[in-house]
PDB file of all heavy atoms in Angstrom:
ATOM      1  N   MET A   1       9.919 -15.358  11.967  1.00 84.00           N
ATOM      2  CA  MET A   1      10.444 -14.038  11.726  1.00 84.00           C
ATOM      3  C   MET A   1      11.042 -13.873  10.414  1.00 84.00           C
ATOM      4  O   MET A   1      10.753 -12.828   9.643  1.00 84.00           O
ATOM      5  CB  MET A   1      11.604 -13.562  12.779  1.00 84.00           C
ATOM      6  CG  MET A   1      11.027 -13.363  14.145  1.00 84.00           C
ATOM      7  SD  MET A   1      12.292 -12.831  15.273  1.00 84.00           S
ATOM      8  CE  MET A   1      12.439 -11.081  14.824  1.00 84.00           C
ATOM      9  N   GLU A   2      11.731 -14.877   9.826  1.00 83.00           N
ATOM     10  CA  GLU A   2      12.321 -14.724   8.540  1.00 83.00           C
ATOM     11  C   GLU A   2      11.255 -14.965   7.469  1.00 83.00           C
ATOM     12  O   GLU A   2      11.496 -14.381   6.325  1.00 83.00           O
ATOM     13  CB  GLU A   2      13.428 -15.805   8.481  1.00 83.00           C
ATOM     14  CG  GLU A   2      14.665 -15.576   9.301  1.00 83.00           C
ATOM     15  CD  GLU A   2      15.591 -16.746   9.315  1.00 83.00           C
ATOM     16  OE1 GLU A   2      15.344 -17.942   8.734  1.00 83.00           O
ATOM     17  OE2 GLU A   2      16.665 -16.635   9.885  1.00 83.00           O
ATOM     18  N   THR A   3      10.301 -15.642   7.711  1.00 83.00           N
ATOM     19  CA  THR A   3       9.261 -15.909   6.722  1.00 83.00           C
ATOM     20  C   THR A   3       8.063 -14.767   6.694  1.00 83.00           C
ATOM     21  O   THR A   3       7.534 -14.569   5.589  1.00 83.00           O
ATOM     22  CB  THR A   3       8.648 -17.229   6.940  1.00 83.00           C
ATOM     23  OG1 THR A   3       9.623 -18.246   7.073  1.00 83.00           O
ATOM     24  CG2 THR A   3       7.815 -17.607   5.777  1.00 83.00           C
ATOM     25  N   VAL A   4       7.903 -14.150   7.734  1.00 84.00           N
ATOM     26  CA  VAL A   4       6.881 -13.092   7.782  1.00 84.00           C
ATOM     27  C   VAL A   4       7.396 -11.860   7.050  1.00 84.00           C
ATOM     28  O   VAL A   4       6.609 -11.271   6.380  1.00 84.00           O
ATOM     29  CB  VAL A   4       6.619 -12.714   9.286  1.00 84.00           C
ATOM     30  CG1 VAL A   4       5.939 -11.432   9.512  1.00 84.00           C
ATOM     31  CG2 VAL A   4       5.724 -13.787   9.966  1.00 84.00           C
ATOM     32  N   THR A   5       8.605 -11.552   7.019  1.00 83.00           N
ATOM     33  CA  THR A   5       9.197 -10.413   6.449  1.00 83.00           C
ATOM     34  C   THR A   5       8.893 -10.295   4.911  1.00 83.00           C
ATOM     35  O   THR A   5       8.524  -9.188   4.464  1.00 83.00           O
ATOM     36  CB  THR A   5      10.674 -10.190   6.710  1.00 83.00           C
ATOM     37  OG1 THR A   5      10.866 -10.433   8.125  1.00 83.00           O
ATOM     38  CG2 THR A   5      11.186  -8.874   6.269  1.00 83.00           C
ATOM     39  N   PRO A   6       9.026 -11.343   4.237  1.00 80.00           N
ATOM     40  CA  PRO A   6       8.671 -11.181   2.639  1.00 80.00           C
ATOM     41  C   PRO A   6       7.226 -10.827   2.498  1.00 80.00           C
ATOM     42  O   PRO A   6       6.891 -10.301   1.436  1.00 80.00           O
ATOM     43  CB  PRO A   6       8.970 -12.603   2.126  1.00 80.00           C
ATOM     44  CG  PRO A   6       9.890 -13.247   3.122  1.00 80.00           C
ATOM     45  CD  PRO A   6       9.574 -12.740   4.331  1.00 80.00           C
ATOM     46  N   ALA A   7       6.341 -11.152   3.384  1.00 83.00           N
ATOM     47  CA  ALA A   7       4.893 -10.690   3.212  1.00 83.00           C
ATOM     48  C   ALA A   7       4.833  -9.209   3.385  1.00 83.00           C
ATOM     49  O   ALA A   7       3.689  -8.714   3.026  1.00 83.00           O
ATOM     50  CB  ALA A   7       4.067 -11.386   4.262  1.00 83.00           C
ATOM     51  N   LEU A   8       5.786  -8.499   3.800  1.00 82.00           N
ATOM     52  CA  LEU A   8       5.624  -7.011   4.119  1.00 82.00           C
ATOM     53  C   LEU A   8       6.115  -6.239   2.858  1.00 82.00           C
ATOM     54  O   LEU A   8       5.942  -5.011   2.924  1.00 82.00           O
ATOM     55  CB  LEU A   8       6.411  -6.705   5.308  1.00 82.00           C
ATOM     56  CG  LEU A   8       6.069  -7.316   6.628  1.00 82.00           C
ATOM     57  CD1 LEU A   8       6.954  -6.993   7.797  1.00 82.00           C
ATOM     58  CD2 LEU A   8       4.642  -7.026   6.980  1.00 82.00           C
ATOM     59  N   TRP A   9       6.535  -6.858   1.902  1.00 81.00           N
ATOM     60  CA  TRP A   9       7.010  -6.148   0.680  1.00 81.00           C
ATOM     61  C   TRP A   9       5.959  -5.139   0.114  1.00 81.00           C
ATOM     62  O   TRP A   9       6.318  -4.024  -0.239  1.00 81.00           O
ATOM     63  CB  TRP A   9       7.376  -7.154  -0.461  1.00 81.00           C
ATOM     64  CG  TRP A   9       8.703  -7.639  -0.387  1.00 81.00           C
ATOM     65  CD1 TRP A   9       9.001  -9.008  -0.099  1.00 81.00           C
ATOM     66  CD2 TRP A   9       9.970  -7.109  -0.476  1.00 81.00           C
ATOM     67  NE1 TRP A   9      10.316  -9.262  -0.120  1.00 81.00           N
ATOM     68  CE2 TRP A   9      11.034  -8.030  -0.315  1.00 81.00           C
ATOM     69  CE3 TRP A   9      10.417  -5.712  -0.763  1.00 81.00           C
ATOM     70  CZ2 TRP A   9      12.298  -7.710  -0.355  1.00 81.00           C
ATOM     71  CZ3 TRP A   9      11.681  -5.443  -0.866  1.00 81.00           C
ATOM     72  CH2 TRP A   9      12.683  -6.394  -0.620  1.00 81.00           C
ATOM     73  N   PRO A  10       4.715  -5.481   0.088  1.00 83.00           N
ATOM     74  CA  PRO A  10       3.741  -4.597  -0.487  1.00 83.00           C
ATOM     75  C   PRO A  10       3.661  -3.284   0.309  1.00 83.00           C
ATOM     76  O   PRO A  10       3.058  -2.284  -0.112  1.00 83.00           O
ATOM     77  CB  PRO A  10       2.400  -5.337  -0.488  1.00 83.00           C
ATOM     78  CG  PRO A  10       2.807  -6.780  -0.495  1.00 83.00           C
ATOM     79  CD  PRO A  10       4.025  -6.882   0.298  1.00 83.00           C
ATOM     80  N   ALA A  11       4.063  -3.281   1.586  1.00 83.00           N
ATOM     81  CA  ALA A  11       3.977  -2.113   2.437  1.00 83.00           C
ATOM     82  C   ALA A  11       4.874  -1.006   1.808  1.00 83.00           C
ATOM     83  O   ALA A  11       4.688   0.250   2.260  1.00 83.00           O
ATOM     84  CB  ALA A  11       4.327  -2.445   3.830  1.00 83.00           C
ATOM     85  N   LEU A  12       5.684  -1.230   0.975  1.00 82.00           N
ATOM     86  CA  LEU A  12       6.605  -0.249   0.340  1.00 82.00           C
ATOM     87  C   LEU A  12       5.659   0.783  -0.519  1.00 82.00           C
ATOM     88  O   LEU A  12       6.032   1.820  -0.882  1.00 82.00           O
ATOM     89  CB  LEU A  12       7.657  -0.810  -0.485  1.00 82.00           C
ATOM     90  CG  LEU A  12       8.737  -1.459   0.310  1.00 82.00           C
ATOM     91  CD1 LEU A  12       9.791  -2.117  -0.638  1.00 82.00           C
ATOM     92  CD2 LEU A  12       9.542  -0.448   1.049  1.00 82.00           C
ATOM     93  N   LEU A  13       4.408   0.192  -1.032  1.00 83.00           N
ATOM     94  CA  LEU A  13       3.633   0.976  -1.789  1.00 83.00           C
ATOM     95  C   LEU A  13       2.936   2.116  -0.969  1.00 83.00           C
ATOM     96  O   LEU A  13       2.293   2.943  -1.669  1.00 83.00           O
ATOM     97  CB  LEU A  13       2.696   0.020  -2.529  1.00 83.00           C
ATOM     98  CG  LEU A  13       3.294  -0.957  -3.459  1.00 83.00           C
ATOM     99  CD1 LEU A  13       2.231  -1.889  -3.994  1.00 83.00           C
ATOM    100  CD2 LEU A  13       4.018  -0.177  -4.520  1.00 83.00           C
ATOM    101  N   PHE A  14       2.849   1.962   0.297  1.00 82.00           N
ATOM    102  CA  PHE A  14       2.084   2.917   1.108  1.00 82.00           C
ATOM    103  C   PHE A  14       2.589   4.416   0.983  1.00 82.00           C
ATOM    104  O   PHE A  14       1.829   5.264   0.890  1.00 82.00           O
ATOM    105  CB  PHE A  14       2.034   2.607   2.520  1.00 82.00           C
ATOM    106  CG  PHE A  14       0.996   1.518   2.837  1.00 82.00           C
ATOM    107  CD1 PHE A  14       1.446   0.365   3.624  1.00 82.00           C
ATOM    108  CD2 PHE A  14      -0.251   1.523   2.398  1.00 82.00           C
ATOM    109  CE1 PHE A  14       0.479  -0.676   3.957  1.00 82.00           C
ATOM    110  CE2 PHE A  14      -1.170   0.582   2.641  1.00 82.00           C
ATOM    111  CZ  PHE A  14      -0.794  -0.601   3.360  1.00 82.00           C
ATOM    112  N   GLY A  15       3.963   4.560   0.819  1.00 77.00           N
ATOM    113  CA  GLY A  15       4.525   5.889   0.668  1.00 77.00           C
ATOM    114  C   GLY A  15       4.040   6.475  -0.680  1.00 77.00           C
ATOM    115  O   GLY A  15       3.441   7.609  -0.620  1.00 77.00           O
ATOM    116  N   PRO A  16       4.205   5.910  -1.828  1.00 79.00           N
ATOM    117  CA  PRO A  16       3.630   6.548  -2.989  1.00 79.00           C
ATOM    118  C   PRO A  16       2.153   6.661  -2.938  1.00 79.00           C
ATOM    119  O   PRO A  16       1.581   7.650  -3.553  1.00 79.00           O
ATOM    120  CB  PRO A  16       4.041   5.421  -4.074  1.00 79.00           C
ATOM    121  CG  PRO A  16       5.142   4.755  -3.639  1.00 79.00           C
ATOM    122  CD  PRO A  16       5.048   4.674  -2.046  1.00 79.00           C
ATOM    123  N   LEU A  17       1.400   5.790  -2.292  1.00 81.00           N
ATOM    124  CA  LEU A  17      -0.052   5.887  -2.219  1.00 81.00           C
ATOM    125  C   LEU A  17      -0.323   7.126  -1.371  1.00 81.00           C
ATOM    126  O   LEU A  17      -1.458   7.860  -1.620  1.00 81.00           O
ATOM    127  CB  LEU A  17      -0.657   4.699  -1.684  1.00 81.00           C
ATOM    128  CG  LEU A  17      -0.669   3.470  -2.718  1.00 81.00           C
ATOM    129  CD1 LEU A  17      -1.365   2.347  -2.001  1.00 81.00           C
ATOM    130  CD2 LEU A  17      -1.479   3.864  -3.907  1.00 81.00           C
ATOM    131  N   THR A  18       0.438   7.532  -0.381  1.00 76.00           N
ATOM    132  CA  THR A  18       0.188   8.615   0.415  1.00 76.00           C
ATOM    133  C   THR A  18       0.317   9.874  -0.455  1.00 76.00           C
ATOM    134  O   THR A  18      -0.438  10.823  -0.364  1.00 76.00           O
ATOM    135  CB  THR A  18       1.114   8.742   1.631  1.00 76.00           C
ATOM    136  OG1 THR A  18       0.953   7.600   2.404  1.00 76.00           O
ATOM    137  CG2 THR A  18       0.940   9.993   2.529  1.00 76.00           C
ATOM    138  N   ALA A  19       1.335   9.943  -1.315  1.00 74.00           N
ATOM    139  CA  ALA A  19       1.500  11.096  -2.219  1.00 74.00           C
ATOM    140  C   ALA A  19       0.410  11.101  -3.268  1.00 74.00           C
ATOM    141  O   ALA A  19      -0.137  12.184  -3.570  1.00 74.00           O
ATOM    142  CB  ALA A  19       2.875  10.906  -2.927  1.00 74.00           C
ATOM    143  N   LEU A  20      -0.089   9.947  -3.673  1.00 78.00           N
ATOM    144  CA  LEU A  20      -1.173   9.951  -4.654  1.00 78.00           C
ATOM    145  C   LEU A  20      -2.517  10.435  -4.039  1.00 78.00           C
ATOM    146  O   LEU A  20      -3.311  11.053  -4.588  1.00 78.00           O
ATOM    147  CB  LEU A  20      -1.412   8.555  -5.217  1.00 78.00           C
ATOM    148  CG  LEU A  20      -2.543   8.299  -6.151  1.00 78.00           C
ATOM    149  CD1 LEU A  20      -2.267   8.950  -7.465  1.00 78.00           C
ATOM    150  CD2 LEU A  20      -2.749   6.799  -6.340  1.00 78.00           C
ATOM    151  N   GLY A  21      -2.592  10.129  -2.726  1.00 75.00           N
ATOM    152  CA  GLY A  21      -3.784  10.639  -1.952  1.00 75.00           C
ATOM    153  C   GLY A  21      -4.085  12.115  -1.856  1.00 75.00           C
ATOM    154  O   GLY A  21      -5.132  12.550  -1.652  1.00 75.00           O
ATOM    155  N   GLN A  22      -2.963  12.873  -2.081  1.00 77.00           N
ATOM    156  CA  GLN A  22      -3.160  14.341  -2.114  1.00 77.00           C
ATOM    157  C   GLN A  22      -3.864  14.787  -3.350  1.00 77.00           C
ATOM    158  O   GLN A  22      -4.522  15.847  -3.260  1.00 77.00           O
ATOM    159  CB  GLN A  22      -1.752  14.965  -2.023  1.00 77.00           C
ATOM    160  CG  GLN A  22      -1.026  14.744  -0.768  1.00 77.00           C
ATOM    161  CD  GLN A  22       0.359  15.276  -0.659  1.00 77.00           C
ATOM    162  OE1 GLN A  22       0.873  15.740  -1.734  1.00 77.00           O
ATOM    163  NE2 GLN A  22       0.916  15.193   0.439  1.00 77.00           N
ATOM    164  N   HIS A  23      -3.873  13.991  -4.382  1.00 83.00           N
ATOM    165  CA  HIS A  23      -4.579  14.349  -5.572  1.00 83.00           C
ATOM    166  C   HIS A  23      -5.769  13.543  -5.873  1.00 83.00           C
ATOM    167  O   HIS A  23      -6.784  14.117  -6.388  1.00 83.00           O
ATOM    168  CB  HIS A  23      -3.575  14.397  -6.828  1.00 83.00           C
ATOM    169  CG  HIS A  23      -2.510  15.245  -6.656  1.00 83.00           C
ATOM    170  ND1 HIS A  23      -2.460  16.732  -6.544  1.00 83.00           N
ATOM    171  CD2 HIS A  23      -1.114  14.926  -6.309  1.00 83.00           C
ATOM    172  CE1 HIS A  23      -1.212  17.163  -6.334  1.00 83.00           C
ATOM    173  NE2 HIS A  23      -0.378  16.130  -6.246  1.00 83.00           N
ATOM    174  N   PHE A  24      -5.693  12.271  -5.547  1.00 86.00           N
ATOM    175  CA  PHE A  24      -6.798  11.280  -5.831  1.00 86.00           C
ATOM    176  C   PHE A  24      -7.153  10.529  -4.612  1.00 86.00           C
ATOM    177  O   PHE A  24      -6.575   9.453  -4.417  1.00 86.00           O
ATOM    178  CB  PHE A  24      -6.333  10.427  -6.958  1.00 86.00           C
ATOM    179  CG  PHE A  24      -5.950  11.104  -8.260  1.00 86.00           C
ATOM    180  CD1 PHE A  24      -4.655  11.185  -8.538  1.00 86.00           C
ATOM    181  CD2 PHE A  24      -6.854  11.609  -9.125  1.00 86.00           C
ATOM    182  CE1 PHE A  24      -4.340  11.824  -9.723  1.00 86.00           C
ATOM    183  CE2 PHE A  24      -6.536  12.169 -10.297  1.00 86.00           C
ATOM    184  CZ  PHE A  24      -5.221  12.263 -10.531  1.00 86.00           C
ATOM    185  N   GLU A  25      -7.869  11.135  -3.806  1.00 84.00           N
ATOM    186  CA  GLU A  25      -8.131  10.630  -2.447  1.00 84.00           C
ATOM    187  C   GLU A  25      -8.866   9.312  -2.376  1.00 84.00           C
ATOM    188  O   GLU A  25      -8.367   8.399  -1.747  1.00 84.00           O
ATOM    189  CB  GLU A  25      -8.832  11.606  -1.595  1.00 84.00           C
ATOM    190  CG  GLU A  25      -9.014  11.215  -0.184  1.00 84.00           C
ATOM    191  CD  GLU A  25      -9.622  12.301   0.709  1.00 84.00           C
ATOM    192  OE1 GLU A  25      -9.445  13.588   0.364  1.00 84.00           O
ATOM    193  OE2 GLU A  25     -10.332  11.978   1.691  1.00 84.00           O
ATOM    194  N   ARG A  26      -9.872   9.184  -3.261  1.00 87.00           N
ATOM    195  CA  ARG A  26     -10.635   7.915  -3.208  1.00 87.00           C
ATOM    196  C   ARG A  26      -9.865   6.758  -3.832  1.00 87.00           C
ATOM    197  O   ARG A  26      -9.848   5.657  -3.388  1.00 87.00           O
ATOM    198  CB  ARG A  26     -11.955   8.205  -3.927  1.00 87.00           C
ATOM    199  CG  ARG A  26     -12.938   8.981  -3.157  1.00 87.00           C
ATOM    200  CD  ARG A  26     -14.206   9.018  -3.900  1.00 87.00           C
ATOM    201  NE  ARG A  26     -15.015   9.947  -3.161  1.00 87.00           N
ATOM    202  CZ  ARG A  26     -16.151  10.340  -3.562  1.00 87.00           C
ATOM    203  NH1 ARG A  26     -16.670  10.081  -4.752  1.00 87.00           N
ATOM    204  NH2 ARG A  26     -16.861  11.239  -2.947  1.00 87.00           N
ATOM    205  N   LEU A  27      -9.118   7.025  -4.909  1.00 88.00           N
ATOM    206  CA  LEU A  27      -8.373   6.024  -5.654  1.00 88.00           C
ATOM    207  C   LEU A  27      -7.228   5.572  -4.724  1.00 88.00           C
ATOM    208  O   LEU A  27      -7.080   4.343  -4.541  1.00 88.00           O
ATOM    209  CB  LEU A  27      -7.811   6.559  -6.896  1.00 88.00           C
ATOM    210  CG  LEU A  27      -6.869   5.622  -7.616  1.00 88.00           C
ATOM    211  CD1 LEU A  27      -7.607   4.321  -8.170  1.00 88.00           C
ATOM    212  CD2 LEU A  27      -6.233   6.241  -8.900  1.00 88.00           C
ATOM    213  N   ALA A  28      -6.600   6.479  -3.983  1.00 84.00           N
ATOM    214  CA  ALA A  28      -5.572   6.142  -2.959  1.00 84.00           C
ATOM    215  C   ALA A  28      -6.130   5.202  -1.925  1.00 84.00           C
ATOM    216  O   ALA A  28      -5.450   4.347  -1.399  1.00 84.00           O
ATOM    217  CB  ALA A  28      -4.821   7.326  -2.532  1.00 84.00           C
ATOM    218  N   GLY A  29      -7.317   5.613  -1.339  1.00 86.00           N
ATOM    219  CA  GLY A  29      -7.863   4.777  -0.339  1.00 86.00           C
ATOM    220  C   GLY A  29      -8.244   3.479  -0.790  1.00 86.00           C
ATOM    221  O   GLY A  29      -8.016   2.429  -0.017  1.00 86.00           O
ATOM    222  N   VAL A  30      -8.811   3.314  -1.907  1.00 90.00           N
ATOM    223  CA  VAL A  30      -9.067   1.834  -2.456  1.00 90.00           C
ATOM    224  C   VAL A  30      -7.723   1.082  -2.684  1.00 90.00           C
ATOM    225  O   VAL A  30      -7.725  -0.118  -2.225  1.00 90.00           O
ATOM    226  CB  VAL A  30      -9.789   1.930  -3.827  1.00 90.00           C
ATOM    227  CG1 VAL A  30      -9.909   0.625  -4.430  1.00 90.00           C
ATOM    228  CG2 VAL A  30     -11.209   2.558  -3.610  1.00 90.00           C
ATOM    229  N   LEU A  31      -6.667   1.708  -3.165  1.00 89.00           N
ATOM    230  CA  LEU A  31      -5.488   1.135  -3.444  1.00 89.00           C
ATOM    231  C   LEU A  31      -4.774   0.672  -1.999  1.00 89.00           C
ATOM    232  O   LEU A  31      -4.185  -0.328  -1.990  1.00 89.00           O
ATOM    233  CB  LEU A  31      -4.554   1.832  -4.382  1.00 89.00           C
ATOM    234  CG  LEU A  31      -5.041   1.945  -5.758  1.00 89.00           C
ATOM    235  CD1 LEU A  31      -4.084   2.853  -6.658  1.00 89.00           C
ATOM    236  CD2 LEU A  31      -5.046   0.617  -6.400  1.00 89.00           C
ATOM    237  N   GLU A  32      -4.893   1.588  -1.071  1.00 88.00           N
ATOM    238  CA  GLU A  32      -4.310   1.344   0.243  1.00 88.00           C
ATOM    239  C   GLU A  32      -5.083   0.039   0.826  1.00 88.00           C
ATOM    240  O   GLU A  32      -4.438  -0.793   1.472  1.00 88.00           O
ATOM    241  CB  GLU A  32      -4.409   2.500   1.208  1.00 88.00           C
ATOM    242  CG  GLU A  32      -3.392   3.542   0.760  1.00 88.00           C
ATOM    243  CD  GLU A  32      -3.593   4.866   1.578  1.00 88.00           C
ATOM    244  OE1 GLU A  32      -4.573   4.928   2.370  1.00 88.00           O
ATOM    245  OE2 GLU A  32      -2.741   5.729   1.492  1.00 88.00           O
ATOM    246  N   PHE A  33      -6.268  -0.087   0.636  1.00 92.00           N
ATOM    247  CA  PHE A  33      -7.166  -1.186   1.093  1.00 92.00           C
ATOM    248  C   PHE A  33      -6.688  -2.454   0.512  1.00 92.00           C
ATOM    249  O   PHE A  33      -6.454  -3.530   1.124  1.00 92.00           O
ATOM    250  CB  PHE A  33      -8.587  -0.936   0.976  1.00 92.00           C
ATOM    251  CG  PHE A  33      -9.471  -2.231   1.362  1.00 92.00           C
ATOM    252  CD1 PHE A  33      -9.511  -2.411   2.685  1.00 92.00           C
ATOM    253  CD2 PHE A  33      -9.927  -3.026   0.416  1.00 92.00           C
ATOM    254  CE1 PHE A  33     -10.303  -3.575   2.998  1.00 92.00           C
ATOM    255  CE2 PHE A  33     -10.729  -4.155   0.684  1.00 92.00           C
ATOM    256  CZ  PHE A  33     -10.817  -4.423   2.084  1.00 92.00           C
ATOM    257  N   VAL A  34      -6.493  -2.409  -0.873  1.00 89.00           N
ATOM    258  CA  VAL A  34      -5.931  -3.549  -1.693  1.00 89.00           C
ATOM    259  C   VAL A  34      -4.622  -3.967  -1.174  1.00 89.00           C
ATOM    260  O   VAL A  34      -4.284  -5.193  -0.916  1.00 89.00           O
ATOM    261  CB  VAL A  34      -5.933  -3.266  -3.173  1.00 89.00           C
ATOM    262  CG1 VAL A  34      -5.122  -4.340  -3.902  1.00 89.00           C
ATOM    263  CG2 VAL A  34      -7.287  -3.092  -3.618  1.00 89.00           C
ATOM    264  N   VAL A  35      -3.664  -3.008  -0.856  1.00 88.00           N
ATOM    265  CA  VAL A  35      -2.293  -3.284  -0.437  1.00 88.00           C
ATOM    266  C   VAL A  35      -2.426  -4.046   0.988  1.00 88.00           C
ATOM    267  O   VAL A  35      -1.600  -4.887   1.362  1.00 88.00           O
ATOM    268  CB  VAL A  35      -1.424  -2.087  -0.482  1.00 88.00           C
ATOM    269  CG1 VAL A  35      -0.199  -2.335   0.347  1.00 88.00           C
ATOM    270  CG2 VAL A  35      -1.119  -1.730  -1.840  1.00 88.00           C
ATOM    271  N   ALA A  36      -3.331  -3.459   1.888  1.00 89.00           N
ATOM    272  CA  ALA A  36      -3.494  -4.086   3.187  1.00 89.00           C
ATOM    273  C   ALA A  36      -3.951  -5.517   3.173  1.00 89.00           C
ATOM    274  O   ALA A  36      -3.583  -6.387   3.868  1.00 89.00           O
ATOM    275  CB  ALA A  36      -4.319  -3.200   4.063  1.00 89.00           C
ATOM    276  N   VAL A  37      -4.924  -5.668   2.192  1.00 89.00           N
ATOM    277  CA  VAL A  37      -5.329  -7.179   2.015  1.00 89.00           C
ATOM    278  C   VAL A  37      -4.230  -7.928   1.452  1.00 89.00           C
ATOM    279  O   VAL A  37      -4.108  -9.158   1.936  1.00 89.00           O
ATOM    280  CB  VAL A  37      -6.645  -7.067   1.144  1.00 89.00           C
ATOM    281  CG1 VAL A  37      -6.981  -8.581   0.692  1.00 89.00           C
ATOM    282  CG2 VAL A  37      -7.711  -6.495   1.814  1.00 89.00           C
ATOM    283  N   TRP A  38      -3.517  -7.443   0.579  1.00 87.00           N
ATOM    284  CA  TRP A  38      -2.282  -8.090  -0.055  1.00 87.00           C
ATOM    285  C   TRP A  38      -1.374  -8.518   1.238  1.00 87.00           C
ATOM    286  O   TRP A  38      -0.816  -9.670   1.215  1.00 87.00           O
ATOM    287  CB  TRP A  38      -1.683  -7.364  -1.087  1.00 87.00           C
ATOM    288  CG  TRP A  38      -0.525  -7.909  -1.818  1.00 87.00           C
ATOM    289  CD1 TRP A  38      -0.096  -9.182  -1.808  1.00 87.00           C
ATOM    290  CD2 TRP A  38       0.181  -7.208  -2.785  1.00 87.00           C
ATOM    291  NE1 TRP A  38       0.924  -9.362  -2.652  1.00 87.00           N
ATOM    292  CE2 TRP A  38       1.161  -8.188  -3.332  1.00 87.00           C
ATOM    293  CE3 TRP A  38       0.198  -5.946  -3.244  1.00 87.00           C
ATOM    294  CZ2 TRP A  38       2.049  -7.783  -4.273  1.00 87.00           C
ATOM    295  CZ3 TRP A  38       1.321  -5.550  -4.179  1.00 87.00           C
ATOM    296  CH2 TRP A  38       2.133  -6.465  -4.652  1.00 87.00           C
TER     297      TRP A  38
END
């Protein structure tokens, strides 16, 4: 549990990517995929 949590840091980027998706849908989709793989 203590070691899994640091791997979740990139999930903080999903909020700004959601806001970005309102203007640049494809770019936000690609970046969300990159964050998910990260």
Side-chain angles (χ1 to χ4, degrees):
M1 288 181 79
E2 292 173 352
T3 309
V4 161
T5 313
L8 300 177
W9 279 111
L12 290 172
L13 298 174
F14 283 131
L17 289 176
T18 301
L20 179 69
Q22 294 176 353
H23 301 290
F24 304 102
E25 190 173 328
R26 289 185 184 171
L27 177 64
V30 169
L31 291 175
E32 285 174 353
F33 177 74
V34 168
V35 170
V37 169
W38 186 5

